[in-house]
Amino acid sequence: MPDYHIHTLPNGIRVVHKQVLHTKIAHSGFIMDIGSRDELTDQTGIAHFWEHMAFKGTEKRKSFHILNRLESVGGELNAYTTKEKICFYSSVLDKHFDKSFELLTDITFRSVFPEREIEKERGVILEEMAMYLDAPEDAIVDEFDAVVYEGHSLGSNILGTKESVSGFEKQDFLRFIDRNLSTDALIFCSVSNLPFDKVLRLAEKYLGDIPEIKKPRKRVPFTAYTPKSITLEKPISQAHCVIGSPAYALSDDRRIPFFMLVNLLGGPGMNSRLNLAVREKHGLVYTIDANYATYIDTGLLTIYFGTEKKQLKRTTSLVLKELQKLREKPLGSLQLHTAKEQLMGQLAMAEESNMGLMMMIGKSLLDQGKVDSLNEIFAQIKNITATDLLDIANDALREDQLSFLNYVPG
């Protein structure tokens, strides 16, 4: 049995399915190659607002009927927005897959954006903003995007601003969708025990009458980066810090080796170098981690920690010391083997989540035009050498290219 079945409908919508025989749950969703970076300067936050409004009324359903449709049979309906993607997705018992497919199609293509619901949801999103601002560990990561990607849409907060969200009307949503939605940049993805021919029959039933839409859109690449160091006083009791810089784009051959390097540095394992050096050895933090986000034309490395204000300088110095070690000392054969095994194990466990797997295959097909199997990814990881990692560390972890954003009590 092939890992994935992929079929392109006449209107350009691609359907990708993975059959998993041991589950009774059907996960599925529409992933669109549209995100907050595609907003014009007067549209900041509209992609995320659209995500909310999709649940607020279609040509044949009111908000209550949308929310009750799957919940009443024990299912879940949800959505998310990122810099480059919007996704509407669901999880239901396999016998209700037909029902979920029809509902997802309805909210994706036939939302009507009732003015009364826009006004109500505006308040919900403003409360969501307030919630994030009250959580400095979240707010600082979002603000760091603006530091690195200053002047570019990648630096805009996905939630938008109070001013922008307060001004959106129905026509703004329709214009944004009309400008960005293309059927050839849209995936329906599913993971369930259902055979592919059944999924395809339903795809033809529900998506066959969607007209082909082709909107040529060229994303403005990010090119102008200047390292910065910014410290802001906040009404908080702990200092928070993000350190980072632009990194490799999604299509760069160094992406997977760099991902392994970042995982070694500050991944989810308690044995990450940053956790051992800063928390376990010195007890300076509760949380410290490193992350690597990829986009079509760039990427972003971020290192986050929170500590006492008086320990901020010392903690930052310890982080920079760990980066220096990666630049100066190649991994030994045992260290390299362990790093590979750890990453492969983490990826395999992530694939145990069928929900996460469903989203991964859809995003991969959108971004790369293919879906790599776990074994193909493992083969790339096994080919990484200590020299590869050393070269990448010296290219991507240069101290003179790092930006710093600090929140301190004040």
Side-chain angles (χ1 to χ4, degrees):
M1 184 173 66
D3 279 345
Y4 307 98
H5 294 274
I6 302 172
H7 178 82
T8 303
L9 297 172
N11 55 18
I13 297 175
R14 281 168 289 176
V15 179
V16 57
H17 175 68
K18 181 176 177 68
Q19 187 176 24
V20 178
L21 297 177
H22 61 263
T23 182
K24 291 290 291 179
I25 304 300
H27 303 283
S28 62
F30 287 99
I31 300 183
M32 294 171 281
D33 196 30
I34 306 170
S36 61
R37 74 171 298 175
D38 302 309
E39 298 162 346
L40 301 177
T41 52
D42 62 345
Q43 295 177 325
T44 307
I46 199 165
H48 171 258
F49 207 145
W50 171 21
E51 172 212 314
H52 279 239
M53 288 304 302
F55 298 86
K56 300 305 173 182
T58 67
E59 294 171 4
K60 66 178 182 180
R61 288 186 173 95
K62 295 187 181 297
S63 177
F64 171 78
H65 300 113
I66 293 171
L67 299 178
N68 195 52
R69 178 78 168 154
L70 301 185
E71 299 285 345
S72 63
V73 293
E76 296 179 359
L77 179 67
N78 213 332
Y80 69 78
T81 304
T82 68
K83 302 283 185 179
E84 294 184 337
K85 301 289 180 287
I86 296 175
C87 177
F88 302 115
Y89 63 95
S90 70
S91 300
V92 292
L93 281 169
D94 50 14
K95 65 180 180 179
H96 298 302
F97 177 70
D98 188 325
K99 182 180 290 188
S100 72
F101 199 156
E102 187 275 333
L103 180 64
L104 286 168
T105 302
D106 197 31
I107 67 173
T108 302
F109 296 100
R110 300 186 179 93
S111 292
V112 293
F113 305 101
E115 293 285 4
R116 184 178 176 185
E117 294 292 341
I118 292 173
E119 201 56 45
K120 286 194 293 185
E121 205 60 25
R122 201 188 313 277
V124 172
I125 292 173
L126 291 174
E127 289 301 320
E128 187 178 359
M129 285 183 190
M131 180 181 72
Y132 274 91
L133 290 174
D134 281 346
E137 65 275 17
D138 294 326
I140 193 171
V141 173
D142 284 339
E143 191 164 353
F144 189 74
D145 287 352
V147 171
V148 172
Y149 298 123
E150 183 180 10
H152 191 275
S153 58
L154 280 171
S156 299
N157 193 306
I158 290 171
L159 298 179
T161 66
K162 289 182 179 179
E163 293 74 23
S164 65
V165 167
S166 297
F168 291 140
E169 297 177 351
K170 178 174 181 173
Q171 287 304 314
D172 296 307
F173 295 98
L174 298 177
R175 279 193 292 266
F176 179 74
I177 293 170
D178 181 66
R179 179 174 171 267
N180 289 285
L181 182 64
S182 287
T183 49
D184 60 354
L186 187 155
I187 304 287
F188 179 79
C189 46
S190 69
V191 173
S192 71
N193 64 14
L194 300 172
F196 181 61
D197 58 354
K198 180 171 183 178
V199 175
L200 189 54
R201 282 198 303 272
L202 291 174
E204 291 167 343
K205 176 181 178 181
Y206 294 124
L207 303 178
D209 63 347
I210 303 295
E212 181 180 26
I213 306 169
K214 284 195 175 182
K215 292 291 173 62
R217 181 198 60 194
K218 188 174 182 180
R219 284 172 166 153
V220 177
F222 172 74
T223 53
Y225 169 67
T226 303
K228 302 177 188 68
S229 183
I230 299 171
T231 299
L232 303 172
E233 288 191 349
K234 299 282 184 178
I236 52 180
S237 58
Q238 183 187 41
H240 297 264
C241 176
V242 177
I243 303 169
S245 64
Y248 304 117
L250 189 64
S251 59
D252 198 300
D253 290 340
R254 295 166 291 183
R255 176 177 60 92
I256 289 181
F258 187 57
F259 182 64
M260 191 172 91
L261 194 67
V262 173
N263 195 62
L264 172 70
L265 176 67
M270 293 294 286
N271 65 338
S272 75
R273 290 195 173 191
L274 288 177
N275 195 70
L276 292 176
V278 182
R279 173 175 164 156
E280 297 301 321
K281 186 175 182 179
H282 296 284
L284 295 175
V285 301
Y286 175 71
T287 297
I288 185 166
D289 55 48
N291 287 285
Y292 168 40
T294 55
Y295 304 112
I296 292 298
D297 54 331
T298 185
L300 181 63
L301 164 72
T302 54
I303 299 167
Y304 163 81
F305 64 83
T307 189
E308 284 187 87
K309 182 179 179 180
K310 66 181 181 180
Q311 298 291 2
L312 179 58
K313 186 175 181 180
R314 183 185 178 200
T315 307
T316 301
S317 177
L318 288 171
V319 170
L320 296 178
K321 186 176 180 181
E322 290 304 313
L323 296 180
Q324 182 181 0
K325 288 179 183 177
L326 288 173
R327 293 194 304 268
E328 294 180 351
K329 187 176 181 181
L331 298 187
S333 57
L334 180 58
Q335 290 175 316
L336 180 63
H337 174 76
T338 300
K340 291 178 179 181
E341 289 295 317
Q342 184 169 22
L343 180 57
M344 289 189 290
Q346 289 170 352
L347 291 173
M349 282 191 285
E351 195 164 292
E352 286 289 299
S353 163
N354 288 335
M355 168 67 80
L357 178 62
M358 180 271 293
M359 293 179 181
M360 182 277 290
I361 63 176
K363 185 176 183 298
S364 180
L365 189 57
L366 269 180
D367 289 338
Q368 303 179 76
K370 62 187 180 72
V371 182
D372 290 331
S373 69
L374 204 55
N375 285 334
E376 288 171 322
I377 297 171
F378 284 0
Q380 295 179 63
I381 293 171
K382 289 174 182 177
N383 286 330
I384 297 170
T385 67
T387 302
D388 293 334
L389 296 179
L390 189 66
D391 290 344
I392 288 171
N394 278 281
D395 179 60
L397 301 180
R398 290 167 48 196
E399 189 170 330
D400 64 346
Q401 288 299 302
L402 296 173
S403 286
F404 300 79
L405 177 59
N406 299 310
Y407 284 179
V408 297

